[in-house]
Amino acid sequence: MNRLILSAAIPALLLAATPVTAQHAGHAEPMEAGTVAAPPHFPADLSPAGVRAADDHLALEEVEGAEAMAFVAESNRKALAALEGDRRYETFRQQAFDILSATDRIPGPSFLGEGIANFWQDAVNPKGIWRRTTLDGYRSEATQWETLLDIDALAQAEGVDWVWKGADCLAPDETRCLVSLSDGGKDAVVVREFDIPSKSFVDGGFVLPEGKHRLEWLDRDTLLVATDFGPNTLTESGYPFIVKSLKRGQTLAQATEVYRGDIGDGGYGVSPSVYRDKDGAVEAVLISRPLDTFRSETWQLVGDRTVRLNLPARISVRGAHAGRLVLTPEEDWAELNNGVKAGSLVVVDLDTLANGGAMTGDVVFTPGPRQSIEEVAVLGDRGVVASIYDNVRGRLVVFEPTPSRWHERNVHVPDNVSVHLGDSSKKSGRFFYSVEGFLTPSTLSLADTNTGRTDVLRSAPARFDASTHVVEQFEATSSDGTKIPYFVVRPRDLAMDGSAPTIIYGYGGFQVSKPPAYIPEMGKLWLENGGVYVNANIRGGGEFGPAWHQAVLKENRQLAFDDYAAVARDLHQRGITSPRRTGVYGRSNGGVLTSVAMTQHPELINAAVIESPLIDMLRYHELPAGASWIGEYGDPRVPEEAAYIARYSAYQQLRPDTEYPRVYITTNTRDDRVHPGHARKFAARLEAMGHDHLYYEETSGGHSNDADPVANARRWARHYVYLAQQLMD
């Protein structure tokens, strides 16, 4: 995949030489060739060297560089004066903090041995504590928790800004765990072996230095590790492509190689997976070798050799049981049963996949055109449980094997909600699940597949007054005629005169679905103040299965942006809001979306929160971990792919003579997934062109913004102060 093809020089009139999307007329129809001149910073040469030569803000890509830090400091000063100096800021901050640190939140449970574990943050423990209780204790209204690891105390003792990134405990007893800790919230973590009975790190136990590791327990004294093993052991995205067996007491240099991909591999790095039965015995060891963002090879480790499985390149392995794999093909699988539809749930014998022969398996579920399988858990003899969405509304189904077919049993959940699978236990046949809606707080339940019984364990209290609002679902028509669903959460007595301040949230990428969600800080800070919230289910997500995602990959990306613009126009046509009162919010891939919304359709919006964004799409592959996403966006090193990326890349498409709304761009210095250089350079170019904007860069928290509730409360307060200034004032 490592295509190091240098583009030939492409003239600056590229945009005028081919049809482009209208940027100022409020529609997405192609303009006639030659009617739009190239923006002033559009590279004359779209090769990597040419793009670099045209970039006047490269110094801002140096994360801790002097020029970059000076830019951040001055930008932060201006942004904080405008946002934290607002009369609403302190109220918003306190309200957000009260929500994020509330002690009556539902503690997210996971099975740990015979008990239940939870990671908890609040005002007393902002960095959090890892703790446990019994299942009966968890059911109790007055749960007694036992602290296993105090991250605040650990950070203070070691002088490191530790952020919890989870624990992987070895079945079946789960007394030994691999704890992952991040310095400041980065994706890269340090891994340490932890002993549950003594509640301490194991002296002389497994320790991995900071890195983007992929690891699994093989047995109590052996790990399968994919990591940085030294020079030339990481792909250009910074992810590992070698798996080694690490024995207790060995250094990484002494580990034994068991699998090797290639330094040119794409995606997120080679990854081992160990599947176990209900008693903890190993059923299958698989290794996924990503070829690009979505295509991969799947290998089985058998003893000291690996065997490639006869699987499609686009497939999700959902689990294993009794020599069978539970799978969801992300493309039509012609070889299985003479044809299986993409997005189906299937079960296939491992021997069949490893040894060839007739490709037969059980098709457990085939989705309809507006359906998708979201989450799946394998529960041993009791079958498989899945959350399934129908027109972006969730239901929960247990599929139970019988001698002749798989029996489908629906677990009752309310209508018009999201359904989320929590942790599951093959040993007990139980699983947690929760339901929520835009105006309905989450309810957590425990289901037992042995008895068919479900019990409500916890119900979250309301965090805002939902009585004032209603939820509706509409469809907008995109540029190619596709119907795009979206949800509107609006005041029930809204006057349809276009006066409602409205936020349109969108993501549209990586097959990530965005079903209804209870967002308490949004409800408190926005809905209670009369705002409207819109959730746009544009293409690129997984709401309607793999095809909904794949329709906007690479050269078709513009369709996702057209979908988003279509939703905005539909809202305006219905009288729900108007351009003066419309804002957009997106982060990460959603930052691509919102930056394009701003540059292609400034006439449709008056606000944009562009958070942790990709924006310079002609250099995204140069900035860690950008090259892992080439399967989504395309490769700027390939001339024809650079051409279609350049048409929407917001950093190159900015124009000094266009009237943009004052936008708010924000990111994080410790973000090692989406480089902060994207946001910095965009803000710097806006400033150089004289466009009013706000830029703020947080110094800790990483891409996930999960450092602590104190920082998150400030973050949400800044967001909603800005949106109120632009859309309500």
Side-chain angles (χ1 to χ4, degrees):
M1 205 286 313
N2 189 23
R3 294 176 290 180
L4 296 174
I5 303 172
L6 294 180
S7 304
I10 296 178
L13 293 178
L14 168 75
L15 293 189
T18 54
V20 296
T21 300
Q23 297 191 12
H24 311 299
H27 55 80
E29 292 80 6
M31 284 185 168
E32 291 298 320
T35 60
V36 178
H41 288 282
F42 193 88
D45 172 6
L46 290 183
S47 71
V51 171
R52 183 180 181 88
D55 194 336
D56 50 351
H57 297 295
L58 283 173
L60 299 184
E61 292 181 1
E62 189 177 345
V63 176
E64 302 283 355
E67 183 177 336
M69 288 293 94
F71 173 80
V72 168
E74 178 59 16
S75 298
N76 283 1
R77 183 189 65 79
K78 293 177 181 178
L80 293 182
L83 300 177
E84 296 190 1
D86 188 284
R87 58 182 171 78
R88 289 163 287 212
Y89 172 77
E90 181 53 31
T91 299
F92 282 3
R93 187 206 63 78
Q94 188 63 56
Q95 289 174 334
F97 178 73
D98 290 345
I99 289 169
L100 294 169
S101 63
T103 57
D104 57 353
R105 288 173 290 137
I106 296 177
S110 61
F111 293 102
L112 180 64
E114 298 299 322
I116 301 296
N118 163 256
F119 182 72
W120 182 260
Q121 293 173 298
D122 58 23
V124 178
N125 306 280
K127 288 193 170 298
I129 52 174
W130 187 34
R131 58 188 190 172
R132 68 174 176 178
T133 188
T134 63
L135 179 56
D136 287 341
Y138 188 85
R139 294 177 187 271
S140 169
E141 294 183 2
T143 303
Q144 298 297 308
W145 293 97
E146 175 189 6
T147 297
L148 298 173
L149 183 60
D150 185 327
I151 305 302
D152 295 89
L154 182 69
Q156 183 176 11
E158 298 186 351
V160 181
D161 183 20
W162 289 129
V163 175
W164 172 262
K165 291 290 185 178
D168 176 18
C169 302
L170 177 62
D173 58 339
E174 298 184 319
T175 59
R176 286 292 177 93
C177 305
L178 299 173
V179 168
S180 294
L181 300 167
S182 163
D183 183 356
K186 294 181 288 187
D187 284 355
V189 297
V190 170
V191 177
R192 299 180 186 174
E193 186 178 4
F194 189 84
D195 180 64
I196 295 288
S198 65
K199 294 183 284 189
S200 63
F201 291 109
V202 177
D203 187 21
F206 288 113
V207 175
L208 273 69
E210 184 177 81
K212 295 184 178 181
H213 313 298
R214 307 287 183 264
L215 72 164
E216 286 271 6
W217 289 100
L218 189 58
D219 57 49
R220 190 176 178 87
D221 296 310
T222 314
L223 304 181
L224 291 178
V225 179
T227 190
D228 184 352
F229 291 108
N232 300 316
T233 63
L234 297 179
T235 67
E236 63 177 331
S237 305
Y239 291 108
F241 63 91
I242 299 169
V243 180
K244 294 188 178 185
S245 170
L246 180 67
K247 296 289 186 180
R248 185 175 298 280
Q250 287 183 328
T251 65
L252 286 175
Q254 296 169 323
T256 302
E257 182 174 316
V258 297
Y259 181 80
R260 176 180 290 258
D262 185 81
I263 198 168
D265 289 347
Y268 302 103
V270 66
S271 181
S273 298
V274 178
Y275 297 97
R276 302 178 187 276
D277 66 17
K278 63 185 178 66
D279 298 317
V282 174
E283 292 187 293
V285 179
L286 303 185
I287 296 173
S288 175
R289 177 202 176 187
L291 303 176
D292 60 24
T293 314
F294 305 108
R295 298 183 310 114
S296 62
E297 295 175 352
T298 305
W299 296 73
Q300 183 182 9
L301 180 63
V302 182
D304 59 357
R305 65 186 182 93
T306 53
V307 178
R308 184 175 173 182
L309 300 183
N310 186 19
L311 290 171
R314 290 178 181 264
I315 197 156
S316 294
V317 180
R318 304 288 197 161
H321 172 63
R324 311 187 84 193
L325 291 186
V326 180
L327 306 161
T328 302
E330 308 297 345
E331 58 187 343
D332 290 346
W333 192 353
E335 294 79 15
L336 184 68
N337 294 1
N338 296 316
V340 171
K341 180 182 176 182
S344 299
L345 187 65
V346 300
V347 180
V348 185
D349 288 342
L350 252 175
D351 287 345
T352 297
L353 298 171
N355 301 324
M359 292 291 291
T360 60
D362 296 342
V363 178
V364 179
F365 178 79
T366 301
R370 303 290 272 186
Q371 290 182 319
S372 65
I373 296 172
E374 191 69 17
E375 298 164 320
V376 175
V378 180
L379 289 166
D381 297 337
R382 302 308 305 169
V384 177
V385 59
S387 59
I388 296 173
Y389 281 81
D390 195 331
N391 202 28
V392 208
R393 291 173 165 87
R395 63 188 182 101
L396 187 61
V397 182
V398 175
F399 297 100
E400 299 169 325
T402 69
S404 59
R405 64 183 181 90
W406 286 77
H407 173 69
E408 180 177 319
R409 177 170 62 83
N410 286 288
V411 178
H412 174 72
V413 297
D415 294 331
N416 303 324
V417 296
S418 294
V419 181
H420 307 289
L421 286 181
D423 198 21
S424 61
S425 168
K426 278 188 177 180
K427 185 175 183 179
S428 67
R430 294 168 170 156
F431 64 93
F432 294 104
Y433 69 93
S434 61
V435 298
E436 63 179 331
F438 289 112
L439 301 176
T440 307
S442 179
T443 295
L444 175 73
S445 298
L446 178 67
D448 189 329
T449 55
N450 295 298
T451 63
R453 176 177 173 177
T454 61
D455 295 316
V456 174
L457 299 180
R458 305 280 178 111
S459 294
R463 300 298 181 190
F464 60 89
D465 181 4
S467 66
T468 58
H469 280 62
V470 295
V471 178
E472 297 172 305
Q473 188 182 33
F474 299 110
E475 287 185 339
T477 303
S478 192
S479 57
D480 64 348
T482 300
K483 300 298 182 181
I484 309 302
Y486 67 93
F487 291 98
V488 176
V489 188
R490 65 165 180 85
R492 60 176 62 251
D493 58 355
L494 181 69
M496 298 297 181
D497 60 2
S499 63
T502 299
I503 303 168
I504 308 175
Y505 172 74
Y507 187 77
F510 296 92
Q511 205 168 319
V512 175
S513 301
K514 294 296 179 180
Y518 189 78
I519 311 172
E521 60 275 5
M522 183 275 293
K524 189 68 179 178
L525 278 59
W526 189 251
L527 297 183
E528 276 197 1
N529 290 306
V532 172
Y533 181 78
V534 174
N535 188 79
N537 299 116
I538 65 176
R539 282 174 287 184
E543 286 86 348
F544 299 142
W548 196 247
H549 168 232
Q550 294 167 22
V552 297
L553 293 180
K554 294 186 174 182
E555 69 272 17
N556 296 317
R557 198 69 183 184
Q558 182 60 45
L559 289 172
F561 310 138
D562 291 352
D563 293 354
Y564 202 46
V567 170
R569 290 193 200 93
D570 201 64
L571 289 164
H572 299 163
Q573 290 165 3
R574 293 178 187 275
I576 292 172
T577 188
S578 61
R580 166 66 181 86
R581 301 295 179 185
T582 300
V584 293
Y585 168 63
R587 64 183 303 271
S588 193
N589 173 74
V592 184
L593 179 67
T594 48
S595 66
V596 172
M598 168 201 160
T599 50
Q600 289 191 358
H601 294 290
E603 81 287 350
L604 294 179
I605 63 174
N606 195 43
V609 177
I610 305 171
E611 185 173 23
S612 305
L614 287 87
I615 295 184
D616 182 356
M617 297 305 292
L618 290 177
R619 277 185 57 76
Y620 84 91
H621 63 293
E622 303 277 1
L623 303 174
S628 61
W629 308 318
I630 284 173
E632 182 84 13
Y633 304 118
D635 191 340
R637 296 165 295 190
V638 179
E640 59 270 23
E641 298 185 21
Y644 62 69
I645 293 169
R647 294 188 185 184
Y648 69 78
S649 181
Y651 183 56
Q652 286 78 23
Q653 289 291 344
L654 278 176
R655 299 170 181 267
D657 55 353
T658 298
E659 185 177 345
Y660 300 116
R662 182 186 72 151
V663 297
Y664 176 41
I665 309 139
T666 180
T667 191
N668 196 294
T669 308
R670 295 296 185 95
D671 191 337
D672 56 347
R673 191 182 317 174
V674 178
H675 195 285
H678 286 278
R680 292 172 179 176
K681 294 198 302 179
F682 193 62
R685 185 160 286 177
L686 283 168
E687 182 176 301
M689 289 183 173
H691 295 302
D692 192 13
H693 69 284
L694 296 172
Y695 177 76
Y696 179 77
E697 183 171 315
E698 187 60 83
T699 56
S700 67
H703 191 70
S704 301
N705 290 298
D706 55 2
D708 61 67
V710 176
N712 250 338
R714 295 194 298 258
R715 169 176 164 252
W716 286 119
R718 289 190 295 266
H719 285 18
Y720 286 105
V721 163
Y722 161 77
L723 290 164
Q725 289 174 347
Q726 293 295 115
L727 305 179
M728 291 182 172
D729 290 354

